[in-house]
Amino acid sequence: MKTVIARRLIALIPMLLGITFMATMLMHLAPGDFLDQVRMQRDADPEYIERLEREFGLDNPWYVQYFLWLKNVVPWDLRSDFGYSFHYKVDVWELLGQRLPATILLSVTSLAFAWVIAIPLGVLAAIYKDSIFDRISSILAYAALSIPEFFLALLALFFAARTGLFPLGGFTSTEFEFMSPVRRFFDVAHHLILPTIVVGIGSIASIMRIMRANFIDNIRSEYVTTARAKGVPEGIVMFRHVFRNAINPLITAAGFAFSSIVSGALMVEIVMNYPGIGHMIFHAILQQDQFVVLGALVMSSTMLILGNLLADIALAWNDPRIRYD
Amino acid sequence: MTDENPSAEKTQEPLLAVRDLVIEFRSRGEVNRAVDGISFAVNKGETLAVVGESGSGKSVTAMSLTRLLPEEPVCRVTGAVLFDGKNLVACSNRAIRRYRGREIAYIFQEPATSLNPVFTIGNQLAEAIKLHRPDVKDVRAEIIRALDLVQIRDPEKRFKDYPHQLSGGMQQRVMIAMALVCHPRLLVADEPTTALDVTIQAQIMDLMRDIRRRMSMSIILITHNFGIVSGFADKVIVMFRGKIVEAGPTDTILSNPRHAYTKALIACIPRLGEQQRRLTTIDYAELEKSQST
Amino acid sequence: MERPLGLAVLILLGCFYLVALFADFISPYTPPDQSLQKTYHPPTALFWENGRLHVQRYELADPDDMVYRKIEGEGAPVRFFARGHDYRLMGLIPTDRHLFLVDEPDRIYLLGSDETGRDNFSRLLYGARISLSIGLVGIAIIMVFGFLAGGLAGYFGGIWDNLTMRFIELVMAVPGLYLLLVLRGTFPDELSPGQTFFLIVIILSFLAWGGTARIIRGMTLSLRNRQFVMAAEVLGQSPLKIVGKHILPNVFSYLVVAASLSIPAFILGEAALSFLGLGIQEPSASWGLMLSQAQDMKVFMLNFWWLLLPGAAIFVTVIAFNVLGDVFRDIVDPKQKFLNR
């Protein structure tokens, strides 16, 4: 197992190299760079601009710039340098340190929310197959699958504005700095509720459908008859025997669901002004803040790949038949 | 319909008595009668073989004893299954669970799929013990004893194994251990050797013989193979299309089968040293005729 | 899902496409047609008078909060099949007839107006053209690329297969919307509406072709060892011909369904980009763009259901394509051997 994890982590490296190389190339296809705004200022000193260009290596061809960036990012001295954000005026590494936890938090709560809703619904839909409940939940699943996140985010904002029950976006209140740790926790939780629901809803449908299909497959299994023949009560047959088997494909699916959650979170972060890396990359792209874009790409892709890896590990842990070697 | 010895019934109350059992499956308004009014009895310590081809209703009969079939409206069971005088067809769902596993235990055809793949075998055995014998203190020792009984080597090690780590024969031994762990009074073995290799089949039958001797319980052996019936069962009933076509002591039936279907099934047993030009097949048209008369 | 549902959805989508096709006939105004005296106008009421349908006349009661008040008894008659701005019906027949109109300076706003007095109803209909066509153009592209890449990768195997699959993995390793934004950021902002549309289609196709290519590759792999393909090889047909003549007909239905399963992604992708201001640009109309107007605080508080209409339109269209995709999938691949999501 350990070697598998190690191998997967090593496989991450060429992937990230490919992604960032591609991204650098693409960004240089675009006209202009992040110094455009400095250049546009009428009183800008040409010497100053030239100095900046040299400093950021913009006077080199793009592939040289890429290797310069790469040289700094690779932690030779145990510290990665992701460059400097011209828009935010801070180190990209520092910026990532602020933004990444917010996105990870939102992704995890959304995934948890989606699971908590979808799994019981899927199980019930399977047990009461073809009932009214099953029909209604499958229609709702279609609906949840088809609603654009940003539209849902707008509705959530409207709801928050009209009722005043929830904050209008953001991650913390303005007086966050002066709060006690307990108040801080509740403040963040309060800000998280709506984004979590909005991001999570889209994944409920797919998780529920997979859960339902697997559960139905497993209910017909022979080990279910064995368990019943042993005298195991029906509830335990369903929730111990069938459930543990039906959950396996779902763990794999969670890896994929994570991908759509990270993507969905981007729109929600922008609409609800939630300071995660999705919010960050959007503004960075508008400003052609190239190092921020690269940093955000690296982080979001790493998140995705690690999410898949975690799902595989969880699957191996839950399903004894799977042993990676 | 059954030729039971009336004097035996007087002297000994049967452990299991099935009366006029009818099992019907419904799908899309169509009613399919799988078992059509059969009656039989199993005495204490006795072994009954139920023989028939697939689709003859024998497995469904076995499942119906503890109501393991789907519930109404999919499946409808009428008649009586009297176990120790109590009618299992009519009792509540809660009550039937006290019979499942504790009084009547099962062994199924496919050990590979009948064991839950995500639990260790120790875990699956423990479940039965914890359910029916809450007074057992050392569950682990009890399981190891049961695994030992079915001649599994290194029971301490196998205890932690998952089903997929065992061979088919081993899996079936685990199934048997799981059935025996609560000391049932009736063991229903539904084609216990069909999915296994021939050499393993013999081992499993030997094991069952050994266990019957040690634990003195009743057995219902469900099979399509008359070959394993001889030397194992005391009585045989032969089922064909949901009905019992012939019943009686094993020796009588094997030596002097009266029904054409029984004869045909017996003819299917491969015998050593016998030159058979072609495989025996069953002529159903003729059977239909003989049944209607 | 049962077939009657598929039929119902097909009829619904058929109606949508008809409306989009005749958008310029049905809608009274063009998308950029402003009326700065009538901004944030509520939907105009209609009434009968002297046997003719009239549209209610309003006056601005409070310019700060944009409150309009009905002028009782005053209205303008609605004229059917009236002459308005010029356009080409179905892009061919030049005409200026419209389904309904009122005489200037009165205006008919079935769904109210936006911050520059443009008719939401007209914009919604024109926006439908974008959302309803983007998926079709998109799947045409990914069918071609998915088939070429997947078919050739599966047929030739080896390095070509390896390269294609690694590349697809690379694309799939980046969260979709992140890549979408980066790709969009690569191109200049100032583009003609047509260029923007095709740029969006191409970017979205780039994100979506991988899944189709993988399915086709898997099927080609299993087909290429079949006798008829081997026979063609022995006869010395060129690989391209074999892939085109023997593989394509066998995978075609899968190709169509696999590609059509990504129609919702195209619709949602365009809406998201336009919503962020990186897609269809003002003054053109797109459902995503209309939703972004709804972020305006005034709209938010005054005219909330504008926000609902383009959003609901996207929602219903996507749901319809999702259902349709599932129905087709069940027909083509009932056991979900190749097509699943």
PDB file of all heavy atoms in Angstrom, chain A residues 230-250:
ATOM      1  N   LYS A 230     -29.373 -16.681   8.776  1.00  0.00           N
ATOM      2  CA  LYS A 230     -28.730 -16.741  10.083  1.00  0.00           C
ATOM      3  C   LYS A 230     -29.624 -16.157  11.159  1.00  0.00           C
ATOM      4  O   LYS A 230     -29.346 -16.272  12.341  1.00  0.00           O
ATOM      5  CB  LYS A 230     -27.445 -15.899  10.049  1.00  0.00           C
ATOM      6  CG  LYS A 230     -26.196 -16.697   9.827  1.00  0.00           C
ATOM      7  CD  LYS A 230     -24.949 -15.899  10.169  1.00  0.00           C
ATOM      8  CE  LYS A 230     -24.652 -14.755   9.249  1.00  0.00           C
ATOM      9  NZ  LYS A 230     -23.319 -14.174   9.479  1.00  0.00           N
ATOM     10  N   GLY A 231     -30.674 -15.457  10.751  1.00  0.00           N
ATOM     11  CA  GLY A 231     -31.556 -14.827  11.721  1.00  0.00           C
ATOM     12  C   GLY A 231     -31.212 -13.375  11.977  1.00  0.00           C
ATOM     13  O   GLY A 231     -31.676 -12.784  12.941  1.00  0.00           O
ATOM     14  N   VAL A 232     -30.397 -12.769  11.106  1.00  0.00           N
ATOM     15  CA  VAL A 232     -30.039 -11.363  11.287  1.00  0.00           C
ATOM     16  C   VAL A 232     -31.265 -10.507  10.974  1.00  0.00           C
ATOM     17  O   VAL A 232     -31.922 -10.721   9.964  1.00  0.00           O
ATOM     18  CB  VAL A 232     -28.884 -10.992  10.332  1.00  0.00           C
ATOM     19  CG1 VAL A 232     -28.524  -9.521  10.482  1.00  0.00           C
ATOM     20  CG2 VAL A 232     -27.679 -11.866  10.591  1.00  0.00           C
ATOM     21  N   PRO A 233     -31.596  -9.553  11.854  1.00  0.00           N
ATOM     22  CA  PRO A 233     -32.761  -8.700  11.605  1.00  0.00           C
ATOM     23  C   PRO A 233     -32.591  -7.912  10.303  1.00  0.00           C
ATOM     24  O   PRO A 233     -31.475  -7.562   9.922  1.00  0.00           O
ATOM     25  CB  PRO A 233     -32.778  -7.755  12.805  1.00  0.00           C
ATOM     26  CG  PRO A 233     -31.975  -8.431  13.841  1.00  0.00           C
ATOM     27  CD  PRO A 233     -30.982  -9.278  13.142  1.00  0.00           C
ATOM     28  N   GLU A 234     -33.712  -7.619   9.659  1.00  0.00           N
ATOM     29  CA  GLU A 234     -33.708  -6.999   8.339  1.00  0.00           C
ATOM     30  C   GLU A 234     -32.912  -5.680   8.312  1.00  0.00           C
ATOM     31  O   GLU A 234     -32.147  -5.422   7.386  1.00  0.00           O
ATOM     32  CB  GLU A 234     -35.156  -6.762   7.916  1.00  0.00           C
ATOM     33  CG  GLU A 234     -35.358  -6.515   6.441  1.00  0.00           C
ATOM     34  CD  GLU A 234     -34.898  -7.663   5.546  1.00  0.00           C
ATOM     35  OE1 GLU A 234     -34.803  -8.808   6.031  1.00  0.00           O
ATOM     36  OE2 GLU A 234     -34.634  -7.403   4.372  1.00  0.00           O
ATOM     37  N   GLY A 235     -33.089  -4.879   9.344  1.00  0.00           N
ATOM     38  CA  GLY A 235     -32.370  -3.607   9.394  1.00  0.00           C
ATOM     39  C   GLY A 235     -30.872  -3.805   9.372  1.00  0.00           C
ATOM     40  O   GLY A 235     -30.142  -3.095   8.679  1.00  0.00           O
ATOM     41  N   ILE A 236     -30.390  -4.792  10.117  1.00  0.00           N
ATOM     42  CA  ILE A 236     -28.949  -5.037  10.166  1.00  0.00           C
ATOM     43  C   ILE A 236     -28.474  -5.649   8.856  1.00  0.00           C
ATOM     44  O   ILE A 236     -27.383  -5.334   8.369  1.00  0.00           O
ATOM     45  CB  ILE A 236     -28.602  -5.921  11.376  1.00  0.00           C
ATOM     46  CG1 ILE A 236     -28.940  -5.161  12.658  1.00  0.00           C
ATOM     47  CG2 ILE A 236     -27.119  -6.290  11.359  1.00  0.00           C
ATOM     48  CD1 ILE A 236     -28.672  -5.921  13.917  1.00  0.00           C
ATOM     49  N   VAL A 237     -29.326  -6.468   8.234  1.00  0.00           N
ATOM     50  CA  VAL A 237     -28.964  -7.012   6.918  1.00  0.00           C
ATOM     51  C   VAL A 237     -28.712  -5.858   5.965  1.00  0.00           C
ATOM     52  O   VAL A 237     -27.706  -5.810   5.260  1.00  0.00           O
ATOM     53  CB  VAL A 237     -30.082  -7.919   6.362  1.00  0.00           C
ATOM     54  CG1 VAL A 237     -29.781  -8.313   4.924  1.00  0.00           C
ATOM     55  CG2 VAL A 237     -30.238  -9.165   7.215  1.00  0.00           C
ATOM     56  N   MET A 238     -29.619  -4.891   5.966  1.00  0.00           N
ATOM     57  CA  MET A 238     -29.489  -3.764   5.044  1.00  0.00           C
ATOM     58  C   MET A 238     -28.297  -2.882   5.391  1.00  0.00           C
ATOM     59  O   MET A 238     -27.490  -2.551   4.543  1.00  0.00           O
ATOM     60  CB  MET A 238     -30.767  -2.906   5.066  1.00  0.00           C
ATOM     61  CG  MET A 238     -31.959  -3.580   4.452  1.00  0.00           C
ATOM     62  SD  MET A 238     -31.633  -3.965   2.731  1.00  0.00           S
ATOM     63  CE  MET A 238     -32.781  -5.274   2.450  1.00  0.00           C
ATOM     64  N   PHE A 239     -28.204  -2.495   6.657  1.00  0.00           N
ATOM     65  CA  PHE A 239     -27.238  -1.456   6.976  1.00  0.00           C
ATOM     66  C   PHE A 239     -25.859  -1.972   7.351  1.00  0.00           C
ATOM     67  O   PHE A 239     -24.903  -1.225   7.373  1.00  0.00           O
ATOM     68  CB  PHE A 239     -27.796  -0.524   8.050  1.00  0.00           C
ATOM     69  CG  PHE A 239     -28.873   0.332   7.464  1.00  0.00           C
ATOM     70  CD1 PHE A 239     -30.210   0.019   7.625  1.00  0.00           C
ATOM     71  CD2 PHE A 239     -28.535   1.402   6.656  1.00  0.00           C
ATOM     72  CE1 PHE A 239     -31.190   0.770   7.040  1.00  0.00           C
ATOM     73  CE2 PHE A 239     -29.503   2.166   6.059  1.00  0.00           C
ATOM     74  CZ  PHE A 239     -30.840   1.850   6.254  1.00  0.00           C
ATOM     75  N   ARG A 240     -25.744  -3.265   7.634  1.00  0.00           N
ATOM     76  CA  ARG A 240     -24.418  -3.796   7.885  1.00  0.00           C
ATOM     77  C   ARG A 240     -23.928  -4.537   6.649  1.00  0.00           C
ATOM     78  O   ARG A 240     -22.897  -4.208   6.075  1.00  0.00           O
ATOM     79  CB  ARG A 240     -24.470  -4.762   9.073  1.00  0.00           C
ATOM     80  CG  ARG A 240     -23.126  -5.034   9.696  1.00  0.00           C
ATOM     81  CD  ARG A 240     -23.303  -5.912  10.924  1.00  0.00           C
ATOM     82  NE  ARG A 240     -22.617  -7.171  10.730  1.00  0.00           N
ATOM     83  CZ  ARG A 240     -21.345  -7.369  11.055  1.00  0.00           C
ATOM     84  NH1 ARG A 240     -20.655  -6.392  11.576  1.00  0.00           N
ATOM     85  NH2 ARG A 240     -20.770  -8.524  10.861  1.00  0.00           N
ATOM     86  N   HIS A 241     -24.708  -5.488   6.194  1.00  0.00           N
ATOM     87  CA  HIS A 241     -24.233  -6.352   5.109  1.00  0.00           C
ATOM     88  C   HIS A 241     -24.301  -5.667   3.748  1.00  0.00           C
ATOM     89  O   HIS A 241     -23.305  -5.571   3.049  1.00  0.00           O
ATOM     90  CB  HIS A 241     -25.046  -7.650   5.091  1.00  0.00           C
ATOM     91  CG  HIS A 241     -24.738  -8.528   6.249  1.00  0.00           C
ATOM     92  ND1 HIS A 241     -23.829  -9.542   6.177  1.00  0.00           N
ATOM     93  CD2 HIS A 241     -25.192  -8.524   7.518  1.00  0.00           C
ATOM     94  CE1 HIS A 241     -23.754 -10.132   7.358  1.00  0.00           C
ATOM     95  NE2 HIS A 241     -24.570  -9.532   8.190  1.00  0.00           N
ATOM     96  N   VAL A 242     -25.477  -5.185   3.387  1.00  0.00           N
ATOM     97  CA  VAL A 242     -25.624  -4.597   2.059  1.00  0.00           C
ATOM     98  C   VAL A 242     -24.870  -3.284   1.967  1.00  0.00           C
ATOM     99  O   VAL A 242     -24.141  -3.028   1.012  1.00  0.00           O
ATOM    100  CB  VAL A 242     -27.119  -4.390   1.718  1.00  0.00           C
ATOM    101  CG1 VAL A 242     -27.259  -3.762   0.352  1.00  0.00           C
ATOM    102  CG2 VAL A 242     -27.856  -5.702   1.775  1.00  0.00           C
ATOM    103  N   PHE A 243     -25.013  -2.459   2.997  1.00  0.00           N
ATOM    104  CA  PHE A 243     -24.439  -1.123   2.942  1.00  0.00           C
ATOM    105  C   PHE A 243     -22.931  -1.148   2.732  1.00  0.00           C
ATOM    106  O   PHE A 243     -22.390  -0.443   1.898  1.00  0.00           O
ATOM    107  CB  PHE A 243     -24.790  -0.374   4.230  1.00  0.00           C
ATOM    108  CG  PHE A 243     -24.446   1.079   4.188  1.00  0.00           C
ATOM    109  CD1 PHE A 243     -25.237   1.959   3.476  1.00  0.00           C
ATOM    110  CD2 PHE A 243     -23.334   1.551   4.850  1.00  0.00           C
ATOM    111  CE1 PHE A 243     -24.919   3.295   3.424  1.00  0.00           C
ATOM    112  CE2 PHE A 243     -23.014   2.893   4.806  1.00  0.00           C
ATOM    113  CZ  PHE A 243     -23.812   3.762   4.091  1.00  0.00           C
ATOM    114  N   ARG A 244     -22.264  -2.000   3.508  1.00  0.00           N
ATOM    115  CA  ARG A 244     -20.801  -2.040   3.401  1.00  0.00           C
ATOM    116  C   ARG A 244     -20.348  -2.437   1.997  1.00  0.00           C
ATOM    117  O   ARG A 244     -19.293  -2.033   1.527  1.00  0.00           O
ATOM    118  CB  ARG A 244     -20.220  -3.040   4.413  1.00  0.00           C
ATOM    119  CG  ARG A 244     -19.838  -2.425   5.743  1.00  0.00           C
ATOM    120  CD  ARG A 244     -18.647  -1.481   5.674  1.00  0.00           C
ATOM    121  NE  ARG A 244     -17.422  -2.113   5.227  1.00  0.00           N
ATOM    122  CZ  ARG A 244     -16.588  -2.758   6.010  1.00  0.00           C
ATOM    123  NH1 ARG A 244     -16.822  -2.871   7.284  1.00  0.00           N
ATOM    124  NH2 ARG A 244     -15.494  -3.290   5.502  1.00  0.00           N
ATOM    125  N   ASN A 245     -21.145  -3.256   1.322  1.00  0.00           N
ATOM    126  CA  ASN A 245     -20.797  -3.641  -0.039  1.00  0.00           C
ATOM    127  C   ASN A 245     -21.166  -2.566  -1.047  1.00  0.00           C
ATOM    128  O   ASN A 245     -20.436  -2.317  -1.990  1.00  0.00           O
ATOM    129  CB  ASN A 245     -21.502  -4.943  -0.419  1.00  0.00           C
ATOM    130  CG  ASN A 245     -20.794  -6.146   0.159  1.00  0.00           C
ATOM    131  OD1 ASN A 245     -19.794  -6.585  -0.387  1.00  0.00           O
ATOM    132  ND2 ASN A 245     -21.283  -6.644   1.271  1.00  0.00           N
ATOM    133  N   ALA A 246     -22.321  -1.950  -0.824  1.00  0.00           N
ATOM    134  CA  ALA A 246     -22.815  -0.994  -1.805  1.00  0.00           C
ATOM    135  C   ALA A 246     -21.997   0.286  -1.796  1.00  0.00           C
ATOM    136  O   ALA A 246     -21.970   1.022  -2.773  1.00  0.00           O
ATOM    137  CB  ALA A 246     -24.280  -0.680  -1.538  1.00  0.00           C
ATOM    138  N   ILE A 247     -21.328   0.547  -0.697  1.00  0.00           N
ATOM    139  CA  ILE A 247     -20.623   1.819  -0.573  1.00  0.00           C
ATOM    140  C   ILE A 247     -19.337   1.836  -1.403  1.00  0.00           C
ATOM    141  O   ILE A 247     -18.836   2.890  -1.759  1.00  0.00           O
ATOM    142  CB  ILE A 247     -20.335   2.109   0.920  1.00  0.00           C
ATOM    143  CG1 ILE A 247     -20.108   3.599   1.143  1.00  0.00           C
ATOM    144  CG2 ILE A 247     -19.146   1.338   1.418  1.00  0.00           C
ATOM    145  CD1 ILE A 247     -21.314   4.254   1.707  1.00  0.00           C
ATOM    146  N   ASN A 248     -18.817   0.660  -1.758  1.00  0.00           N
ATOM    147  CA  ASN A 248     -17.517   0.608  -2.429  1.00  0.00           C
ATOM    148  C   ASN A 248     -17.418   1.424  -3.717  1.00  0.00           C
ATOM    149  O   ASN A 248     -16.531   2.261  -3.828  1.00  0.00           O
ATOM    150  CB  ASN A 248     -17.120  -0.849  -2.699  1.00  0.00           C
ATOM    151  CG  ASN A 248     -16.670  -1.531  -1.431  1.00  0.00           C
ATOM    152  OD1 ASN A 248     -16.171  -0.874  -0.528  1.00  0.00           O
ATOM    153  ND2 ASN A 248     -16.857  -2.819  -1.352  1.00  0.00           N
ATOM    154  N   PRO A 249     -18.304   1.180  -4.688  1.00  0.00           N
ATOM    155  CA  PRO A 249     -18.174   1.962  -5.923  1.00  0.00           C
ATOM    156  C   PRO A 249     -18.366   3.446  -5.658  1.00  0.00           C
ATOM    157  O   PRO A 249     -17.872   4.283  -6.396  1.00  0.00           O
ATOM    158  CB  PRO A 249     -19.303   1.433  -6.808  1.00  0.00           C
ATOM    159  CG  PRO A 249     -19.696   0.141  -6.211  1.00  0.00           C
ATOM    160  CD  PRO A 249     -19.419   0.244  -4.761  1.00  0.00           C
ATOM    161  N   LEU A 250     -19.079   3.733  -4.578  1.00  0.00           N
ATOM    162  CA  LEU A 250     -19.339   5.114  -4.241  1.00  0.00           C
ATOM    163  C   LEU A 250     -18.075   5.837  -3.796  1.00  0.00           C
ATOM    164  O   LEU A 250     -17.914   7.031  -4.024  1.00  0.00           O
ATOM    165  CB  LEU A 250     -20.360   5.137  -3.114  1.00  0.00           C
ATOM    166  CG  LEU A 250     -21.162   6.394  -3.064  1.00  0.00           C
ATOM    167  CD1 LEU A 250     -21.982   6.490  -4.313  1.00  0.00           C
ATOM    168  CD2 LEU A 250     -22.044   6.377  -1.855  1.00  0.00           C
TER     169      LEU A 250
END
